[in-house]
Amino acid sequence: MSAVPEHIEIQERVKIGNMLGPRMLTSLGVTQSQRSYEGPYDRLVSTPREARQAVRLAEEEGFDMINFTAPLPPDALAALLDEAGRHELAVEGSILPVDLQAQDLLAMGIDGLYDYYGLVEPLGELNPGVLQGLLMNDLHVTSVLWIFTNLIERSELAGAERESLEDANTCPIFTEYIWDYVEGGSPNVTPEIVQQRVDFRNWLRGLTAQLH
């Protein structure tokens, strides 16, 4: 998600056997407004023309797919999906915080969802009809389990351990957002917040198993 051209170079090295690594799918990030945790190569899109340009860029650069973050204007999103279809590029989206229902998502023509928003209320039960709709439309769903797992593990680190991990610069963009913005710059997280994250992580695990 939100890959950069360097990822495509790594992907190619893995393909030809010059580097040991997993099979990679790279996606060009598309969003309407820049946020602190967006990728450095993400395209800002607010018009149909910009949406089509983003798709053509993705194909020229060699990305496998496009990942959009809502809210995108409806006409821009329609143009994005139309142009991606013309170039045979898959489109996966994160619809947060748009108030869409599961059936709306299924009718959009996207290939997958990046997170569970819109499918089910947090800590709620997945409707069997929604599950059947996902299967009938061959729509895949990418979990966000790693985010909450990292938050929980980070909360349990001592100050020196946390600073050491930050210095390692393992994931600078999302580290900055999660650790500084979500935590509000606070070095301590209350046990109540940690428990809320554990509960949410466990719910995500159960939902992932159900979808699987």
Side-chain angles (χ1 to χ4, degrees):
M1 294 300 141
S2 296
V4 297
E6 287 78 5
H7 291 136
I8 299 175
E9 297 174 10
I10 295 173
Q11 179 189 45
E12 184 60 27
R13 292 182 62 190
V14 172
K15 281 183 179 179
I16 65 178
N18 286 350
M19 177 184 286
L20 181 64
R23 182 175 67 94
M24 296 173 60
L25 295 175
T26 56
S27 70
L28 176 69
V30 171
T31 184
Q32 184 180 13
S33 58
Q34 194 72 37
R35 294 179 291 186
S36 62
Y37 57 92
E38 300 294 351
Y41 206 70
D42 286 356
R43 301 292 92 183
L44 296 180
V45 167
S46 58
T47 67
R49 181 172 180 270
E50 292 172 341
R52 295 185 185 278
Q53 288 176 336
V55 173
R56 289 192 286 270
L57 173 67
E59 182 182 50
E60 292 170 2
E61 294 284 358
F63 290 96
D64 298 300
M65 58 186 294
I66 294 172
N67 173 50
F68 74 87
T69 303
L72 287 183
D75 57 348
L77 179 56
L80 182 77
L81 292 169
D82 177 69
E83 192 70 18
R86 295 173 185 267
H87 293 271
E88 298 184 348
L89 285 175
V91 177
E92 184 171 273
S94 174
I95 56 88
L96 182 72
V98 173
D99 184 21
L100 292 174
Q101 299 300 315
Q103 297 305 320
D104 298 323
L105 298 174
L106 297 175
M108 288 171 64
I110 62 177
D111 300 289
L113 294 175
Y114 179 59
D115 60 40
Y116 299 136
Y117 298 106
L119 293 179
V120 59
E121 292 294 324
L123 303 182
E125 296 291 331
L126 186 62
N127 186 299
V130 172
L131 186 59
Q132 184 65 25
L134 293 174
L135 292 171
M136 294 294 293
N137 288 272
D138 195 26
L139 199 71
H140 69 267
V141 182
T142 300
S143 78
V144 290
L145 276 170
W146 65 276
I147 296 177
F148 291 92
T149 298
N150 286 351
L151 279 173
I152 294 167
E153 293 177 352
R154 189 267 189 183
S155 302
E156 297 171 345
L157 293 177
E161 293 175 315
R162 185 166 57 248
E163 291 177 5
S164 175
L165 187 58
E166 290 173 350
D167 289 341
N169 208 28
T170 54
C171 185
I173 297 170
F174 223 86
T175 295
E176 176 185 357
Y177 171 68
I178 292 293
W179 290 6
D180 294 341
Y181 178 75
V182 174
E183 302 292 4
S186 172
N188 299 309
V189 180
T190 65
E192 290 78 14
I193 293 178
V194 173
Q195 186 58 52
Q196 289 175 6
R197 291 174 179 169
V198 170
D199 292 341
F200 195 78
R201 189 271 315 274
N202 292 341
W203 172 75
L204 282 176
R205 284 179 172 172
L207 186 57
T208 300
Q210 186 178 3
L211 288 168
H212 180 69

